[in-house]
Amino acid sequence: MKKIFLTIATAALFTVNAFADGGKKSDGGTNVSYVALHGFTADFAEATNVNWTVTKNVQKATFTVDGVQKTAFYNLQGEFLGTTQRVDNKAIPAKALQQINSDYKGYEVGEVIVYQANTSINDAIEPTSYFVDLKNDKHEVLVRITQQANIEFFQQVK
């Protein structure tokens, strides 16, 4: 009887310790919420080379699917926000490329990242946006291209 009690007490102690961190699971040294980890596993079952990063605002998983590197973003509550991946600059809508050539003369198009948002969480956000790195000798800026091919200044990089 004493042996059974000790076994139950030990199991209870491990259970309390496992849930004492608020349902977070450690993955590669970062605390990823169970909800995000479970959602990621369900949504990206084919993912390989998964690396998690947790900041004060977001949980992000960088991974590979079918040879393409992607990043999935989750809020701190574990809700899926969207994915990003690098794309060729040919993916930029022609109208937007013309506007970039006009508004940013002397800048070269660098990296292009497409963001596919989860609109079920926020229906005010555009489902697809492109973020384009533009560089010249003195400056580097990041612009956002909306689904309607409008260009918006997003951030000064350099």
Side-chain angles (χ1 to χ4, degrees):
M1 180 73 169
K2 190 174 184 181
K3 200 176 216 181
I4 293 173
F5 177 75
L6 285 175
T7 303
I8 292 171
T10 304
L13 181 62
F14 284 127
T15 303
V16 169
N17 283 338
F19 292 103
D21 65 352
K24 294 194 182 253
K25 181 175 180 179
S26 180
D27 187 346
T30 59
N31 285 328
V32 180
S33 74
Y34 173 79
V35 175
L37 197 56
H38 180 69
F40 176 83
T41 303
D43 292 340
F44 303 101
E46 304 294 318
T48 59
N49 302 322
V50 180
N51 287 312
W52 284 91
T53 305
V54 178
T55 68
K56 65 180 184 173
N57 299 317
V58 73
Q59 303 174 85
K60 107 179 157 173
T62 304
F63 59 100
T64 304
V65 171
D66 297 329
V68 177
Q69 186 172 0
K70 296 183 176 193
T71 303
F73 295 88
Y74 296 83
N75 64 19
L76 295 180
Q77 292 73 41
E79 297 172 309
F80 176 64
L81 300 173
T83 60
T84 61
Q85 75 180 59
R86 289 184 180 141
V87 293
D88 191 77
N89 61 6
K90 294 175 187 167
I92 301 171
K95 177 183 170 190
L97 198 51
Q98 288 173 341
Q99 187 178 348
I100 286 172
N101 290 334
S102 171
D103 295 351
Y104 293 91
K105 284 186 194 280
Y107 283 80
E108 288 186 29
V109 173
E111 188 174 55
V112 179
I113 296 175
V114 63
Y115 177 65
Q116 302 287 326
N118 179 5
T119 56
S120 66
I121 288 183
N122 179 0
D123 61 359
I125 194 167
E126 297 216 17
T128 303
S129 298
Y130 295 90
F131 291 88
V132 181
D133 185 54
L134 301 172
K135 300 177 188 178
N136 68 13
D137 293 339
K138 296 180 183 180
H139 302 285
E140 183 175 359
V141 296
L142 191 61
V143 297
R144 178 177 168 265
I145 301 174
T146 67
Q147 219 165 353
Q148 294 77 28
N150 295 323
I151 308 260
E152 300 171 349
F153 175 82
F154 187 74
Q155 178 180 349
Q156 183 79 35
V157 178
K158 172 175 101 171

